[in-house]
Amino acid sequence: MKIVVAEKMSASAVNLLREPEWTIVTPEQIDGNLSAQLESADALIVRSAVQVDAALLANANKLRVVGRAGVDNIELEAATRKGIAVMNTPGANAVAVAEYTLGVMLAMARFTCRANELMHAGKWEKKSLQGSELRGKTLGIVGLGKIGMEVAKRARVFGMEVMGHDPYVSASVAKENSVRIATLDELYASADYLTLHVGLTPQTTGMINAESLKKMKRGVRLVNCARGELVEEAALAAALKEGHVAAASLDVFAEEPLKNSPFTAMDNVILTPHIGGSTNEAQEAVGQQIAMQVKEYLKHGVIQNAVNVPSVSHDEYQELQPYIVLAERLGSFLAQIGAGAMEEISLGYSGHIAEWKTELIRNAAIKGILNETLEEKANLVNSATIASSRGLRVEETRKTQPSKGGAGSVLSVRIKARAEEHVVKGAVRRETTPRLLQVDGIDVEAPLERNLVYMRNQDVPGVIGKVGTVLGAHNINIANFSLGRRSSGLQPNTPAEAIAVVHVDSPVPEAVLLELRKIPAVEQAKAIHLY
């Protein structure tokens, strides 16, 4: 493995990356040519200065993961198309940002910044600097993630009443943290202090605007150390001038560095240069966390805190991993037995896997299908994106009841093409072994590994013997022979349809398949190879 650390990182974080036979390239070794270093790199770690865009990634064909404390400087679409996981470190700087938030709330309440300026100017204006206490005031927190909850914890120590708004936090979790859940309008109407701790989405962009500001209590004080684009700056400036908003503390801006801003002339606005998470302790924690996440991904495939692919914990991945393998092999098996231009991929989950996070299982099945049909190689990061770009519909269904036949969890994968449709079902046996259970409604249990021969034939005597004779004549050893059939023929007095899956010890050449197809009852014979 080769890991490129493109920007300064603590020595302890870099040391976490070290493994025998791994190469770590530090900023001092890059020598101004990052693109050349990335041509042979498996991982890239950056902070905020390096712009990770399509041009930089163009020749990074080995790159599997980019780690960053945020993702503002990473072109996610370009990374996803190339199958590169992009990871950040949410919560690593939560305490730093929470302490900053309480610090600027105290500064606004006690006019600390203005007092400092007056004293440096030689003025003693004690009467004009009489402030207020945080005790007894209502704090409204928009966003109750790790940072929001850390703010709530500290605000309660000051004797504040804490209200919060977050559609993804349950009432029980909020109650455990002594936070009263409220709608945004209730928050605006009640809060003496309002602090923002949400990500930037189409729903949150410009959420603090002329309309929402009118809903706020007169004299409210606002803190934004989340994203500058959450606030319409002109509307906030107008509310500050009019006095409806008593004060604001802004650490982030729509355009950074800050230029030609109306806030620079206002003495009731605290301005800081995006330093909310900038403490020695936070930067150390961020560096160590991203190093561990990148290392875990490179060594074990565990995706944590990714922004362009579903994330799971180490324990979740350990549980998912056999089903990820099963899904990919079922997809590959399907693609190799089918023919024609695909239009739709469907996945069905039954049993306890129906209650899991199944995005990685889905992506693995799509990967198995696409890598048999496209030159562009898919992986767990980009397979769904590639399928969408090809116009393939992907559907999923869930049934929590266990399937019949003794398998606790069964995965089904279906592909629909213009000319035909096929569906397979599989399960994981003995915790790790992927097994085929059914093909097109016919029960046929077989191992999903290495070399297989797939045949459709008429259910008549002698087929098994003739197949064994052909394979034996070419010194191809049979490890397992699985045969299944429909209960009756499609027409009266006609043989039933049967499917055979033969597990063999070596690849089967096309010449051998031709001989198998000459057996009168055999209608189709294909060689399947599963990695």
Side-chain angles (χ1 to χ4, degrees):
M1 298 290 181
K2 176 182 175 181
I3 302 173
V4 176
V5 180
E7 299 181 62
K8 187 172 176 57
M9 194 174 175
S10 71
S12 61
V14 173
N15 285 336
L16 285 174
L17 296 167
R18 299 194 185 281
E19 286 279 323
E21 299 182 6
W22 285 27
T23 300
I24 312 299
V25 179
T26 60
E28 300 78 23
Q29 297 169 308
I30 291 173
D31 196 26
N33 198 343
L34 179 57
S35 295
Q37 291 287 355
L38 291 182
E39 289 180 11
S40 56
D42 297 274
L44 168 66
I45 296 178
V46 298
R47 292 180 65 177
S48 57
V50 174
Q51 294 300 308
V52 184
D53 54 21
L56 183 66
L57 297 174
N59 296 317
N61 296 323
K62 281 190 63 186
L63 200 65
R64 296 166 54 196
V65 59
V66 175
R68 154 79 163 101
V71 293
D72 294 344
N73 55 326
I74 297 173
E75 193 175 323
L76 288 179
E77 186 179 347
T80 304
R81 282 199 308 269
K82 289 185 72 73
I84 300 168
V86 179
M87 298 180 180
N88 64 2
T89 54
N93 62 357
V95 169
V97 176
E99 289 186 358
Y100 171 92
T101 300
L102 269 295
V104 294
M105 286 167 57
L106 286 166
M108 288 189 287
R110 303 302 301 271
F111 306 113
T112 308
C113 297
R114 195 163 128 232
N116 178 62
E117 291 174 3
L118 290 168
M119 289 293 287
H120 278 281
K123 298 178 181 180
W124 186 275
E125 296 189 9
K126 187 172 180 178
K127 290 184 179 180
S128 68
L129 297 172
Q130 182 167 310
S132 58
E133 298 177 2
L134 296 185
R135 181 185 57 172
K137 304 300 188 298
T138 297
L139 171 63
I141 304 174
V142 184
L144 293 170
K146 291 184 179 179
I147 295 173
M149 286 300 190
E150 290 290 346
V151 171
K153 186 191 303 182
R154 286 154 179 77
R156 291 197 306 274
V157 175
F158 281 90
M160 302 187 80
E161 179 185 352
V162 182
M163 300 174 65
H165 175 78
D166 192 321
Y168 304 105
V169 170
S170 68
S172 60
V173 170
K175 187 177 181 180
E176 288 174 9
N177 289 273
S178 302
V179 178
R180 180 159 60 92
I181 290 292
T183 66
L184 272 177
D185 284 354
E186 289 171 340
L187 213 64
Y188 293 153
S190 303
D192 299 296
Y193 290 82
L194 184 72
T195 182
L196 309 178
H197 300 290
V198 293
L200 187 66
T201 68
Q203 292 73 36
T204 61
T205 299
M207 65 181 298
I208 304 302
N209 51 45
E211 184 179 346
S212 60
L213 287 163
K214 288 176 184 176
K215 298 176 181 179
M216 295 180 194
K217 179 189 289 190
R218 186 171 184 84
V220 67
R221 291 173 167 88
L222 174 72
V223 179
N224 184 19
C225 53
R227 292 293 297 265
E229 294 89 343
L230 302 176
V231 176
E232 290 187 2
E233 295 179 351
L236 177 58
L240 285 160
K241 286 179 182 178
E242 189 270 332
H244 185 76
V245 176
S249 178
L250 305 175
D251 185 50
V252 289
F253 308 91
E255 182 183 355
E256 298 180 2
L258 188 63
K259 296 176 183 177
N260 302 319
S261 171
F263 301 125
T264 55
M266 296 181 176
D267 62 4
N268 59 342
V269 180
I270 298 173
L271 300 174
T272 53
H274 205 148
I275 59 170
S278 296
T279 65
N280 294 332
E281 296 87 346
Q283 292 306 305
E284 181 73 12
V286 166
Q288 292 191 0
Q289 183 173 324
I290 201 62
M292 289 305 298
Q293 288 176 195
V294 167
K295 187 174 184 177
E296 188 78 353
Y297 182 54
L298 292 178
K299 289 186 73 173
H300 305 296
V302 180
I303 301 173
Q304 302 172 71
N305 298 320
V307 295
N308 63 339
V309 65
S311 299
V312 294
S313 69
H314 181 82
D315 289 343
E316 287 173 328
Y317 184 82
Q318 292 296 107
E319 197 169 27
L320 281 169
Q321 201 271 339
Y323 290 90
I324 291 172
V325 173
L326 171 68
E328 182 175 350
R329 292 186 184 176
L330 284 174
S332 178
F333 183 94
L334 259 184
Q336 292 180 68
I337 71 170
M342 284 183 293
E343 297 176 343
E344 185 178 301
I345 300 171
S346 303
L347 291 96
Y349 312 96
S350 65
H352 58 272
I353 61 168
E355 300 174 350
W356 294 358
K357 299 175 184 176
T358 54
E359 293 92 340
L360 290 177
I361 297 175
R362 176 204 65 199
N363 287 7
I366 299 171
K367 172 190 173 185
I369 293 168
L370 294 182
N371 283 346
E372 297 296 338
T373 58
L374 299 176
E375 289 185 8
E376 182 180 6
K377 289 302 179 185
N379 61 25
L380 290 182
V381 175
N382 65 5
S383 59
T385 299
I386 294 174
S388 177
S389 71
R390 299 289 190 286
L392 280 171
R393 296 187 302 274
V394 179
E395 297 182 350
E396 296 175 274
T397 58
R398 300 173 187 275
K399 186 175 71 172
T400 55
Q401 295 86 356
S403 296
K404 297 178 181 179
S409 287
V410 172
L411 174 66
S412 68
V413 185
R414 179 191 304 270
I415 56 172
K416 182 179 180 181
R418 292 173 189 169
E420 57 187 289
E421 182 176 326
H422 294 288
V423 60
V424 293
K425 292 185 178 182
V428 174
R429 301 294 198 196
R430 297 187 298 277
E431 298 185 352
T432 60
T433 306
R435 302 283 293 186
L436 179 69
L437 299 181
Q438 192 181 92
V439 179
D440 293 341
I442 298 176
D443 293 334
V444 51
E445 184 171 348
L448 281 168
E449 58 185 36
R450 297 188 295 278
N451 299 294
L452 304 172
V453 178
Y454 167 79
M455 293 185 299
R456 298 184 89 101
N457 60 279
Q458 297 172 355
D459 181 32
V460 296
V463 174
I464 295 176
K466 291 173 183 176
V467 170
T469 299
V470 171
L471 295 177
H474 292 274
N475 202 32
I476 296 173
N477 190 52
I478 297 175
N480 180 278
F481 198 121
S482 302
L483 186 68
R485 64 180 181 177
R486 297 195 191 279
S487 57
S488 61
L490 297 176
Q491 300 293 332
N493 302 318
T494 61
E497 181 186 17
I499 286 177
V501 178
V502 187
H503 181 208
V504 294
D505 289 342
S506 56
V508 179
E510 182 62 25
V512 177
L513 294 173
L514 287 172
E515 286 191 40
L516 291 173
R517 293 174 193 138
K518 291 177 181 178
I519 298 172
V522 173
E523 298 169 352
Q524 187 181 53
K526 292 189 176 184
I528 308 292
H529 185 72
L530 301 175
Y531 296 94

